[in-house]
Amino acid sequence: MEMEPEKVNMRKGLSAEGSSYRCAACHGDEGVVLGHPIRGRAKSRSLSASPALASTKEFRRTRSLHGPCPVTTFGPKACVLQNPQTIMHIQDPASQRLTWNKPPKSVLVIKKIRDASLLQPFKELCGYLMEESNMIVYVEKKVLEDPAIMGDDSFGPVKKKFCTFREDFDDISNQIDFIICLGGDGTLLYASSLFQGSVPPVMAFHLGSLGFLTPFNFENFQTQVSQVIQGNAAIVLRSRLKVKVVKELKGKKIAIPNGVSENGVLASDCDPEVGKQVMQYQVLNEVVIDRGPSSYLSNVDVYLDGHLITTVQGDGVIVSTPTGSTAYAAAAGASMIHPNVPAIMITPICPHSLSFRPIVVPAGVELKIMLSPEARNTVWVSFDGRKRQEIRHGDSVSITTSCYPLPSICVRNPVSDWFESLAQCLHWNVRKRQAHFTDEEGEGEGEGEGEGEEG
């Protein structure tokens, strides 16, 4: 898969003198060379600190959800300091299209386990991929161990052509060109967990119960799969969280000589994770920290870029991506965020405070969550509902935005698909329509009749 990044020329100086800088986000989707517009797919837009602009008279908004590139000159002498390491390229969602460097040859099919209604769609899809598209099909070994599949003699010739793998044992990350999911939202979360680095494009068919993340219907799957193989599809890049869990090893604390300076601060050349267990995860929806089986309130400190911002006293806290904002976080009272918005959401679970509202922080920050010194009990953490484990005093959970998003293939485009899911799956803002006034009621409205009435 290949995206078309915009080439940004960074100027070495901060002076506003010299040739003018043309921002693609401020001047529309067309570049200009020798007075002639260059047409084609819109390239990525940069929301980073741009060089000083010679002319800022016109701003034409684009279809981008992120608005125009901001001017970074303030008055006659002030501007933003250039820092190439902080550049973030955000592409116009309408221009995010799938393309292939080479024709795809292998596909991973993920099927919801123990669901008899999916056996026939699974057989039809795999038969089409192998016989008509000449694809190499990978499936998890336990899928083929389903008694209904093992006892189907007609499926035998196709079954022998599968490449199988086992979760946590076989690494298939460099062997899969794209992924097809059959089931509900859980199949997409499972696909994300299999790839701790770069994720192939994911095409998800709605054959489960909710289907917020699975926009495709299976009725005409041949046409839709063929379009994806040809590279004719829109995609939405769903950001993931990079999570690092550091745990103290019981009874195995290692003394680090010369590791602490005179003022008690850890020396810069000392590795603070020596003698500790470190685990890393890529999370698509959310990281949930809760009180577990304890009857006490959970009591955890939340740090943002090394600074303590709050202490959560309640049932727990949810740290979610924009994709996860429509899952557990929405049930806990958070707002719903479009997947193209670069952000991390922090949502308390039943906080013992009337003023603790969910907040949204920039995607680039690093959060660190630890048990408060005053905590009466431990807490438990889970990642997309999996890998649940206990967090004790001295342990920490660090969270930031991953550089490996999940590219989810759209039916139409990222905006239309998202609002369609809100309406169809969550019944967002569903209400019986207000009745209009009759002629007689309309005449009486001017006399103050019916003020304050509903219906």
Side-chain angles (χ1 to χ4, degrees):
M1 186 184 70
E2 179 186 27
M3 304 295 292
E4 295 185 4
E6 179 188 13
K7 295 181 180 179
V8 180
N9 296 323
M10 302 298 296
R11 294 172 58 186
K12 296 181 179 179
L14 296 179
S15 173
E17 299 175 358
S19 60
S20 63
Y21 174 84
R22 184 179 179 84
C23 172
C26 297
H27 294 83
D29 296 337
E30 299 176 359
V32 176
V33 177
L34 298 178
H36 299 284
I38 300 175
R39 299 186 181 275
R41 286 185 298 176
K43 296 185 177 181
S44 60
R45 281 83 183 272
S46 172
L47 294 191
S48 62
S50 59
L53 302 179
S55 176
T56 60
K57 294 181 179 180
E58 293 185 3
F59 293 96
R60 182 161 63 87
R61 295 190 70 87
T62 67
R63 291 184 297 172
S64 170
L65 292 180
H66 309 284
C69 181
V71 176
T72 54
T73 55
F74 313 106
K77 296 183 179 179
C79 61
V80 172
L81 179 66
Q82 302 290 322
N83 185 354
Q85 295 182 352
T86 62
I87 292 177
M88 177 185 293
H89 296 282
I90 301 175
Q91 190 164 4
D92 181 350
S95 71
Q96 292 177 178
R97 306 289 299 182
L98 172 66
T99 185
W100 301 102
N101 294 325
K102 298 179 181 179
K105 295 296 183 183
S106 60
V107 56
L108 168 62
V109 178
I110 296 178
K111 184 185 82 70
K112 187 178 180 181
I113 305 296
R114 296 183 297 275
D115 191 338
S117 65
L118 297 181
L119 292 179
Q120 188 59 34
F122 174 72
K123 296 175 183 178
E124 293 178 11
L125 174 64
C126 293
Y128 172 80
L129 292 171
M130 291 181 178
E131 298 171 4
E132 298 190 30
S133 300
N134 297 319
M135 303 288 292
I136 301 173
V137 179
Y138 285 78
V139 295
E140 194 171 3
K141 189 174 182 179
K142 61 184 178 183
V143 171
L144 299 183
E145 295 173 352
D146 191 307
I149 293 180
M150 296 180 65
D152 190 343
D153 296 333
S154 62
F155 196 58
V158 176
K159 186 170 62 176
K160 294 179 181 179
K161 299 179 181 179
F162 282 118
C163 294
T164 61
F165 72 96
R166 296 173 299 169
E167 184 187 7
D168 297 331
F169 287 93
D170 302 316
D171 183 12
I172 59 172
S173 57
N174 294 323
Q175 303 174 33
I176 305 300
D177 292 330
F178 73 103
I179 305 169
I180 296 179
C181 295
L182 301 178
D185 294 343
T187 58
L188 194 71
L189 297 176
Y190 179 67
S192 172
S193 70
L194 294 176
F195 296 86
Q196 294 300 298
S198 178
V199 187
V202 182
M203 184 180 190
F205 286 94
H206 176 31
L207 293 170
S209 54
L210 183 62
F212 191 92
L213 305 178
T214 55
F216 287 91
N217 293 320
F218 194 76
E219 286 74 16
N220 56 341
F221 75 92
Q222 296 94 335
T223 302
Q224 295 172 331
V225 172
S226 177
Q227 290 178 349
V228 171
I229 294 175
Q230 296 171 9
N232 182 22
I235 60 172
V236 56
L237 300 181
R238 299 184 178 275
S239 63
R240 298 196 294 174
L241 298 175
K242 181 176 72 173
V243 186
K244 182 173 70 174
V245 179
V246 180
K247 290 190 173 184
E248 295 275 2
L249 295 179
K250 293 183 179 179
K252 296 183 180 180
K253 292 185 178 180
I254 300 176
I256 307 173
N258 302 324
V260 179
S261 61
E262 294 181 358
N263 58 4
V265 179
L266 198 64
S268 59
D269 59 346
C270 173
D271 187 356
E273 295 175 3
V274 172
K276 298 184 179 181
Q277 181 184 11
V278 180
M279 296 160 287
Q280 295 191 6
Y281 305 93
Q282 296 283 332
V283 177
L284 178 60
N285 259 3
E286 73 269 307
V287 178
V288 177
I289 296 177
D290 61 74
R291 64 182 184 175
S294 173
S295 59
Y296 293 111
L297 291 174
S298 66
N299 195 340
V300 295
D301 293 335
V302 180
Y303 295 83
L304 190 149
D305 288 341
H307 301 282
L308 178 65
I309 58 171
T310 192
T311 297
V312 180
Q313 297 183 94
D315 282 354
V317 62
I318 306 167
V319 180
S320 59
T321 63
T323 295
S325 69
T326 54
Y328 193 0
S335 296
M336 295 180 289
I337 306 175
H338 189 276
N340 276 108
V341 178
I344 298 175
M345 174 169 282
I346 303 173
T347 307
I349 307 173
C350 298
H352 198 250
S353 168
L354 298 178
S355 59
F356 197 166
R357 306 302 303 157
I359 61 172
V360 178
V361 297
V365 304
E366 182 178 32
L367 299 171
K368 188 173 184 179
I369 301 177
M370 303 179 66
L371 269 176
S372 298
E374 302 83 10
R376 297 182 178 182
N377 58 293
T378 62
V379 294
W380 290 74
V381 62
S382 61
F383 315 95
D384 285 341
R386 310 178 80 226
K387 309 291 185 182
R388 186 169 170 82
Q389 53 196 273
E390 191 174 15
I391 300 297
R392 301 174 179 272
H393 284 284
D395 301 344
S396 66
V397 181
S398 299
I399 306 168
T400 190
T401 299
S402 170
C403 61
Y404 297 109
L406 184 142
S408 179
I409 300 173
C410 304
V411 173
R412 286 177 289 180
N413 59 70
V415 178
S416 298
D417 284 12
W418 192 68
F419 280 100
E420 182 73 15
S421 294
L422 287 182
Q424 297 297 325
C425 301
L426 299 183
H427 304 291
W428 176 60
N429 196 28
V430 174
R431 181 192 186 275
K432 187 177 180 180
R433 302 287 293 183
Q434 186 181 46
H436 64 82
F437 281 128
T438 63
D439 294 339
E440 292 79 7
E441 290 174 329
E443 293 175 357
E445 183 184 13
E447 301 175 2
E449 295 180 3
E451 291 184 1
E453 294 182 358
E454 295 183 357

